[in-house]
Amino acid sequence: MNDELLPIPKRVRFVELSAKALRALADGDLDGGSAEAGVALDEHFVCDRARWIFGYRANQLAEDPSVAPWITRAAVSEPEGVVVGDAGFHGPPDEAGMVEVGFTVVPAHRRQGYARAVLTALLTRAAAEPDVRTVRARIRSDNNASLATISGFGFTRVGKQGNERDGIALVFEVPADAIQVSSTSPATSPSP
């Protein structure tokens, strides 16, 4: 019999990032973004890439407040209460019922199971929504960690897209009615 302990699946909950929190982060104001979110956000939330994303999401929310339940949230570990990343969808389901997932785990918490916990929560949310028929993930072809994360969740590669500046992204999809989150998947708290 093997006496090695199996790793305990990670648990996450999501904290909404309001328009004010997103705008503060886009402006590089980590303290203001953290105060608005009600959790201590990681420095990663104000790196150049994150600032661009949060600015884009703040503008998206300003144009259409109804996207709020779908877009970026802080991912918080449970029961520790530490922000381990951000996650959400790029917006509500489109006319074909497709949503696209997006998530980042901050560097200090990578390779610990948080990406799988976050993806599990996003897929659980998508599968529970009657208007969602397909979940998409676009992953840069050189992002081996994210490619490994989506394996085992039923995604099928359906194409690729990209350019010289951004590189090639592989496009994966899974039908919402085929999403099965097993009892061995990480437990999650309220949907994003």
Side-chain angles (χ1 to χ4, degrees):
M1 181 172 211
N2 188 345
D3 290 336
E4 287 184 38
L5 295 175
L6 293 175
I8 297 171
K10 299 297 184 183
R11 293 174 40 97
V12 296
R13 66 180 170 90
F14 293 103
V15 173
E16 182 177 353
L17 296 175
S18 68
K20 283 181 80 172
L22 290 168
R23 184 58 58 205
L25 294 170
D27 291 342
D29 181 2
L30 182 60
D31 291 338
S34 294
E36 284 296 327
V39 292
L41 300 172
D42 183 274
E43 281 289 327
H44 189 74
F45 278 67
V46 290
C47 71
D48 288 341
R49 183 175 183 280
R51 289 178 66 182
W52 182 89
I53 291 169
F54 295 138
Y56 182 86
R57 296 293 174 224
N59 292 339
Q60 183 182 18
L61 193 54
E63 289 175 23
D64 182 3
S66 73
V67 303
W70 292 93
I71 62 172
T72 308
R73 287 161 157 39
V76 180
S77 67
E78 285 296 320
E80 301 84 3
V82 175
V83 174
V84 296
D86 64 87
F89 300 95
H90 292 270
D94 67 13
E95 59 281 345
M98 191 273 298
V99 292
E100 184 170 342
V101 296
F103 57 91
T104 301
V105 175
V106 300
H109 296 286
R110 291 182 180 158
R111 302 190 60 78
Q112 298 176 35
Y114 288 113
R116 290 188 69 78
V118 164
L119 184 57
T120 297
L122 293 172
L123 292 175
T124 299
R125 160 80 191 284
E129 292 288 339
D131 292 338
V132 175
R133 291 192 289 283
T134 305
V135 178
R136 175 176 287 171
R138 277 187 292 163
I139 301 171
R140 282 180 52 117
S141 60
D142 62 351
N143 187 341
N144 293 327
S146 288
L147 292 169
T149 297
I150 69 163
S151 69
F153 282 97
F155 282 93
T156 300
R157 184 173 159 189
V158 297
K160 65 181 179 178
Q161 54 188 202
N163 55 48
E164 288 182 27
R165 186 194 70 177
D166 297 327
I168 301 297
L170 305 177
V171 181
F172 298 87
E173 293 182 350
V174 61
D177 61 3
I179 294 171
Q180 295 181 359
V181 180
S182 74
S183 60
T184 60
S185 295
T188 57
S189 295
S191 59

